[in-house]
Amino acid sequence: MTDTPSRTWKTASGIPLKSSYCREDIPQWYLPEINKAPGELPYQRGAFAQGYRSKPWRIFQLSGFGKPEDENERIKFLLAHGETGFLMEHDRNTADHMYNVDHPDVLARPQDVGLTGAVMQSIRDIDICLSDLPISTTFGHAGGAVVQHAPFALAGYWTVAKRRGLSLETLPGTGQSDFFLTYHGCVPKHQIPTAAGLRFNADIIEFCYKYVKRWVPVSIAAYNGADTGLNAYQELGALFANAVEYLDEIKRRDSMPLEAAAKACGGVNFRLSMDLFEEASKIRAGRKMWADLLERRYGISDAKARQLRIHCVTSGSNMTYQQPLNNIVRGTLMALAGVLSGIQSLGISGYDEALSIPSEHAHQMSVRIQQILQHETNVPAVVDPLGGSYYIESLTAELIERAWSFFDEIQSRGGFLETLNTGWLHHCAHENQHEDFLAQERKERIIVGVNDFRADISPFEVDGFVGVNDAFDVAMQRLKDVRATRAQRPAAQALHNLERVCRNSENIMPAMMDALDAEVTLGEIGDVWRSVLGDWVAPQITI
Amino acid sequence: MKNSARILIAKTGLDGHWRGASLVARALREAGFDVVMAGMSSWEEIVQAISDKEVDLLGISIGGHMEVAERAIAEARKVRPDLPVMVGGVVPPWAKKKLEAQGVEVYPPGSQMSEITEGAQRLTGYRAEPMPGSDTGRSQA
Ligand code: B12
């Protein structure tokens, strides 16, 4: 059924494919690169010479729900099963909007609270979520994927670390603070404007440079743009268009060496999707593009500063609702594309992805797939095992060309922030998705179990995960408690000072650290953002 | 045969997922429906919108908890007992059965757009004349 003679062979992003490749298919300009070794500039063969021999990729799964203690328990479960970093999810209703649970928009849907992340309204909640977790040695994701929330999540995590007597200098982790999620993928009801978001991210980069030196201050997650619909080369082009906004801002400020800023922005996040070779080529292309961009645009020659470190997540969109156990296979194949192309960190979406956040068993499976890849397949033994393949090398070159032209197109439309403000980037994603649905209807694209091969004799039904039902009530009680029992004067002073800093152009982070330490709450800080920074006008397409 | 039918599409959650609802809206518009996007809405806002806008079909994209969507549907039916309801989004099998038992049509992830537009045509009794030169690939006859 799938193999009709009329089938046109192309990559997922639409690059036409020949039935086989030879040396002549590799463009001249790219030929010199194929003889470079892994660990050698421009790094398309790998950022590190010894690959997984020197360091296995990090097993890093998205997790969290309910009360902070529920999330803490799930993180411990994952670590016990072999996860080698951990992620904290904050409740989206409260965190992404900077609302406390008594905000009217939250009160309108109390059952939603805690559905996809734990409610953390003050340092006390963050402290509970981090109970007994090895934060000084394990790479932690503090939350704060959404831009306006990042200062809160980071200051909370760091303040807990300080209270535990740990040095911020050596604390490992990230907080993401991602424009793709915030302004492209999942547009919240309220969000600070993109220019204010840029300021926050530059503030975080500067603050980390001074005080939290091992931290990855921001992590551009083009994953979120790709899973919203951008194709492989658009994902690449848009990611670097985002990165230059950060770097240009740091350059304007002239507050730190550009090499350090490049390192700060060089821990990124791509999506791994089902077109195995295109995805592997994309990762290789990304590394070279970054190394070249830094030299060309900023004159950075330092080799280390130009290494792109990559976290990947397997595409949630390719995880089907129908016949969910098939998703275990999909997760494995998507992950393999990343492992073959030398990524540093990996999360595999759960087999119940289209049903709910991961159940414990789905989480366990995601970890086990990674362990099977690490220990049973022997794939990690050799760096860049696909290197030298005519197909992979020519596809890598082709993606680089197409990605730069998408990058240029974004520049010609006023830059990354402007294409978010105008909705142009959303439109690109929407068009791809629309096309994809048409291709499904015409059976040009077959998704097993979805538009073909629908018969299912599975002996049981996967029902997904049902969380806890006391997250809202407990959060409300804790909000009352913190308001009643904190030292009021220092809290008021810290909040006042935060507002002052927010109004001028000082770095926001020191005042955030004081505010979190003084037990100022999420919603109070959100009120400052709303009154001082205002609201982003989301493009039409997202509502 | 009516001239058109109006569909209100709302999201009950505060999560920002916009893709599903906007693609469904586009497919329905291309099938001739008049689609009103209500965005993230509380049940009160949904009730208000169906009363103000004379809608023929309520569509809900579920991103959050099932009970929030169920409440919105129940409240909508208090003011418009006859109003057909279609939902999509994150609806695990147990919730799908529950909603179907309440007479709600459920289109989970993976539903084809033609299935959704056909459902809307059946529920509203409205079917647009096929547009000459239409290249949407959908049968609208
Ligand atoms: C793509 C995606 C994203 C994209 C955003 C896409 C976008 N712009 O909308 C990105 C990557 C940014 C994203 C982010 C997040 N996501 Co998300 N995401 C998905 C994913 C993988 C696919 C959703 C999708 O767009 N599919 C394509 C569209 C076309 O399908 P659809 O929406 O299901 O719509 C179809 C049907 O459901 C139906 N339908 C939908 N609406 C309507 C309405 C009507 C009226 C009708 C008739 C039919 C209908 O028709 C459509 C066609 O078939 C789902 C999992 C999955 N596989 O479904 C998770 C999922 C929805 N996300 C989830 C979560 C938790 C998040 C995050 C919190 C993750 C994080 N920790 O960062 C953030 C949200 C942050 C925020 N601020 O809100 C959860 C939600 C869990 C829950 N509600 O219980 C899911 C289920 C994944 C999971 N298992 O954890 N996500």
Side-chain angles (χ1 to χ4, degrees):
Chain A
M1 148 120 262
T2 52
D3 244 333
T4 53
S6 66
R7 177 167 175 183
T8 50
W9 297 92
K10 51 185 193 300
T11 67
S13 73
I15 300 173
L17 291 177
K18 306 177 24 163
S19 58
S20 67
Y21 283 76
C22 61
R23 199 179 168 83
E24 283 63 49
D25 292 311
I26 302 172
Q28 277 300 324
W29 64 266
Y30 181 81
L31 266 180
E33 310 296 18
I34 65 177
N35 297 322
K36 306 264 171 65
E40 220 180 286
L41 279 161
Y43 299 130
Q44 88 276 8
R45 301 206 54 206
F48 307 100
Q50 292 294 311
Y52 299 131
R53 292 184 182 209
S54 53
K55 203 174 181 192
W57 70 84
R58 178 185 307 124
I59 301 177
F60 204 42
Q61 295 290 144
L62 208 63
S63 58
F65 62 92
K67 308 181 293 300
E69 37 277 78
D70 300 318
E71 182 151 320
N72 174 264
E73 199 182 305
R74 180 62 74 90
I75 291 171
K76 285 178 180 158
F77 166 88
L78 282 164
L79 290 171
H81 277 72
E83 197 185 31
T84 52
F86 67 88
L87 279 101
M88 280 165 79
E89 275 298 314
H90 293 239
D91 168 60
R92 321 307 305 201
N93 297 275
T94 47
D96 293 358
H97 297 87
M98 301 291 291
Y99 294 155
N100 284 336
V101 283
D102 58 359
H103 188 281
D105 280 345
V106 181
L107 293 175
R109 35 181 86 69
Q111 300 92 337
D112 277 357
V113 169
L115 189 70
T116 64
V119 194
M120 293 185 254
Q121 301 171 96
S122 80
I123 185 80
R124 296 184 190 180
D125 298 326
I126 298 175
D127 193 33
I128 298 173
C129 187
L130 289 173
S131 301
D132 310 316
L133 294 181
I135 61 173
S136 62
T137 50
T138 308
F139 190 90
H141 184 309
V146 159
V147 173
Q148 69 175 355
H149 180 241
F152 179 89
L154 293 174
Y157 194 100
W158 296 338
T159 304
V160 167
K162 271 172 85 172
R163 288 180 177 184
R164 289 185 191 174
L166 302 173
S167 149
L168 291 190
E169 288 260 325
T170 54
L171 199 69
T174 187
Q176 219 177 58
S177 196
D178 176 47
F179 268 61
F180 282 97
L181 177 67
T182 309
Y183 299 109
H184 186 253
C186 279
V187 178
K189 197 166 175 181
H190 166 85
Q191 188 61 222
I192 57 171
T194 48
L198 182 62
R199 168 193 171 183
F200 277 10
N201 279 6
D203 286 353
I204 292 167
I205 292 170
E206 283 175 357
F207 188 83
C208 287
Y209 173 68
K210 282 195 196 140
Y211 307 110
V212 207
K213 299 193 157 97
R214 281 185 59 199
W215 199 265
V216 180
V218 293
S219 177
I220 302 176
Y223 171 96
N224 292 317
D227 228 31
T228 298
L230 298 182
N231 69 30
Y233 57 82
Q234 293 171 337
E235 180 185 5
L236 282 168
L239 185 142
F240 296 117
N242 184 346
V244 300
E245 297 269 9
Y246 296 168
L247 289 173
D248 289 355
E249 171 66 15
I250 296 286
K251 199 174 162 189
R252 264 194 299 275
R253 292 183 179 198
D254 194 21
S255 53
M256 61 189 276
L258 270 183
E259 282 76 12
K263 272 190 201 163
C265 298
V268 301
N269 180 337
F270 284 109
R271 176 176 87 143
L272 295 171
S273 189
M274 288 300 286
D275 188 332
L276 200 145
F277 294 122
E278 179 167 68
E279 293 297 88
S281 304
K282 176 183 81 185
I283 301 298
R284 302 173 86 246
R287 281 191 297 260
K288 174 171 159 56
M289 290 177 73
W290 183 236
D292 290 347
L293 174 71
L294 292 178
E295 183 173 52
R296 257 189 307 199
R297 190 170 170 121
Y298 303 103
I300 295 173
S301 54
D302 179 58
K304 261 192 96 63
R306 289 157 67 195
Q307 285 167 327
L308 191 67
R309 290 105 54 216
I310 301 171
H311 170 63
C312 280
V313 182
T314 63
S315 158
S317 292
N318 284 287
M319 296 303 208
T320 64
Y321 180 90
Q322 295 74 11
Q323 304 176 32
L325 295 185
N326 295 345
N327 293 330
I328 296 174
V329 181
R330 295 191 177 98
T332 309
L333 289 170
M334 294 192 272
L336 185 61
V339 172
L340 289 171
S341 53
I343 61 174
Q344 279 61 53
S345 171
L346 176 63
I348 298 182
S349 20
Y351 64 78
D352 52 8
E353 166 79 17
L355 276 52
S356 65
I357 62 162
S359 63
E360 282 193 347
H361 185 251
H363 254 152
Q364 176 185 302
M365 279 305 312
S366 296
V367 173
R368 291 289 177 261
I369 295 171
Q370 302 210 34
Q371 291 161 331
I372 290 168
L373 287 168
Q374 286 188 337
H375 300 288
E376 298 186 28
T377 63
N378 215 21
V379 171
V382 174
V383 189
D384 192 30
L386 301 177
S389 145
Y390 301 131
Y391 174 36
I392 292 292
E393 298 294 5
S394 70
L395 196 50
T396 303
E398 176 78 27
L399 285 166
I400 291 173
E401 286 181 340
R402 289 184 182 230
W404 281 134
S405 75
F406 192 70
F407 175 93
D408 291 341
E409 170 136 32
I410 292 175
Q411 304 313 314
S412 75
R413 290 174 182 276
F416 181 69
L417 262 51
E418 193 53 22
T419 58
L420 293 173
N421 293 338
T422 58
W424 183 78
L425 209 55
H426 308 76
H427 182 74
C428 292
H430 180 86
E431 284 305 313
N432 291 344
Q433 288 302 316
H434 180 68
E435 282 303 314
D436 185 59
F437 267 101
L438 295 182
Q440 286 181 43
E441 299 273 2
R442 293 194 291 256
K443 299 272 176 91
E444 285 166 13
R445 187 160 107 79
I446 299 294
I447 305 170
V448 173
V450 174
N451 63 347
D452 208 348
F453 313 109
R454 284 180 166 185
D456 186 15
I457 57 145
S458 176
F460 55 86
E461 190 166 82
V462 175
D463 244 349
F465 179 69
V466 182
V468 296
N469 57 19
D470 59 349
F472 175 82
D473 292 339
V474 170
M476 189 62 98
Q477 189 53 50
R478 285 186 178 156
L479 180 63
K480 285 181 186 146
D481 288 349
V482 71
R483 279 184 184 139
T485 61
R486 69 184 172 190
Q488 297 306 340
R489 263 180 73 102
Q493 272 166 3
L495 188 60
H496 186 74
N497 186 46
L498 181 69
E499 178 166 352
R500 184 190 62 76
V501 170
C502 193
R503 282 192 196 283
N504 64 38
S505 57
E506 275 169 58
N507 191 306
I508 200 83
M509 290 313 293
M512 267 320 271
M513 294 290 286
D514 291 342
L516 268 284
D517 197 36
E519 307 196 310
V520 174
T521 63
L522 178 73
E524 292 165 308
I525 297 169
D527 287 339
V528 172
W529 289 181
R530 284 179 279 277
S531 74
V532 179
L533 304 170
D535 195 6
W536 185 55
V537 184
Q540 267 303 316
I541 198 163
T542 65
I543 31 178
Chain B
M1 190 62 84
K2 297 193 244 175
N3 280 333
S4 184
R6 180 171 291 168
I7 305 177
L8 183 90
I9 297 185
K11 274 173 55 60
T12 43
L14 271 191
D15 62 291
H17 295 87
W18 54 268
R19 220 177 99 182
S22 79
L23 285 163
V24 168
R26 178 165 176 180
L28 290 169
R29 282 187 184 129
E30 286 180 3
F33 288 96
D34 173 13
V35 179
V36 180
M37 296 298 266
M40 298 173 193
S41 313
S42 63
W43 68 260
E44 287 98 336
E45 286 163 339
I46 291 174
V47 167
Q48 190 68 46
I50 57 171
S51 319
D52 289 353
K53 304 225 187 288
E54 293 184 18
V55 303
D56 301 295
L57 175 65
L58 171 60
I60 293 183
S61 193
I62 301 182
H65 203 282
M66 206 49 54
E67 283 173 25
V68 178
E70 282 181 314
R71 172 89 192 265
I73 294 167
E75 298 289 345
R77 282 182 167 161
K78 282 186 195 159
V79 292
R80 285 284 305 277
D82 57 324
L83 187 66
V85 183
M86 292 171 84
V87 309
V90 191
V91 190
W94 62 265
K96 183 169 183 283
K97 284 176 205 146
K98 217 170 153 214
L99 288 167
E100 281 168 350
Q102 297 163 27
V104 173
E105 290 213 0
V106 180
Y107 294 86
S111 302
Q112 299 298 290
M113 291 301 170
S114 54
E115 294 169 331
I116 293 171
T117 49
E118 279 155 26
Q121 285 163 347
R122 186 167 27 74
L123 290 173
T124 60
Y126 166 73
R127 190 173 288 260
E129 293 301 316
M131 293 221 287
S134 157
D135 66 344
T136 59
R138 272 183 284 281
S139 62
Q140 300 176 337

